[in-house]
Amino acid sequence: MRPRSVVGVAVCALVLATGCGGDDDAEGAPEPAEDAAPEITGSTAPLAFEGDPDSEFCQRSRQAAEEPVLDPFEAGLAPREVELRFRALAQRFEGFAAIAPEPLADDLALLDDTFAQLAGVLADADYDFERLAADQVDVSVFDDPALAVVADRLAAYQDQVCDP
């Protein structure tokens, strides 16, 4: 298993779990190549959002930002610890797609789907990264450039609408 595959999903997961925000300039992020034809795609609308900062989505995202995050992809964790941390992270994701504001609906659906795929891959390997590597599990879906676009869009929405 290529470490960057899991890290790519972890970044998206942790971005949402920590409130989608950050100090990075989302507009400076590279766009995926148009001819790359990723298997899964998110929204490609511009990174300019309007919305309700008191929406359920914003409220829940701010609440998630206040809760500690234990990275399930940290090096050297025992499989049981990976499982516990991943399940805790999964609980944070639960329901976000259902309350997504219209401009982020496709993004959250993509992230939800990718997160579910990751949960299945990890569960099948008993949350053991060494087993994933030994079994040469294909996790290329997690390399999709659309996930980086989703992370940028979530951060932009957080910065522009939830925490202006």
Side-chain angles (χ1 to χ4, degrees):
M1 179 166 121
R2 295 171 303 206
R4 72 182 188 12
S5 301
V6 174
V7 171
V9 173
V11 168
C12 286
L14 295 175
V15 165
L16 181 60
T18 58
C20 308
D23 294 329
D24 297 336
D25 179 11
E27 293 179 358
E31 292 293 320
E34 289 181 5
D35 59 349
E39 291 181 26
I40 51 180
T41 59
S43 301
T44 58
L47 295 177
F49 299 104
E50 292 181 0
D52 180 6
D54 294 322
S55 68
E56 184 179 1
F57 179 84
C58 285
Q59 289 177 23
R60 189 151 169 221
S61 128
R62 283 191 294 269
Q63 179 185 8
E66 294 174 8
E67 298 171 4
V69 175
L70 296 175
D71 183 358
F73 306 102
E74 186 178 309
L77 293 178
R80 178 70 177 144
E81 182 67 17
V82 171
E83 179 181 5
L84 292 173
R85 289 181 179 198
F86 186 80
R87 289 182 187 270
L89 188 58
Q91 285 180 331
R92 287 200 170 166
F93 273 98
E94 199 171 324
F96 262 105
I99 61 170
E102 180 57 36
L104 297 180
D106 291 342
D107 301 299
L108 270 291
L110 169 64
L111 195 55
D112 208 26
D113 180 58
T114 305
F115 203 80
Q117 290 178 50
L118 178 59
V121 167
L122 289 174
D124 288 348
D126 294 323
Y127 299 88
D128 186 340
F129 292 118
E130 289 179 17
R131 182 172 166 193
L132 282 171
D135 292 347
Q136 297 182 351
V137 175
D138 179 17
V139 292
S140 60
V141 69
F142 305 119
D143 289 332
D144 191 324
L147 295 175
V149 173
V150 167
D152 290 343
R153 289 176 50 75
L154 290 172
Y157 190 90
Q158 181 71 25
D159 291 343
Q160 295 170 20
V161 177
C162 297
D163 295 318

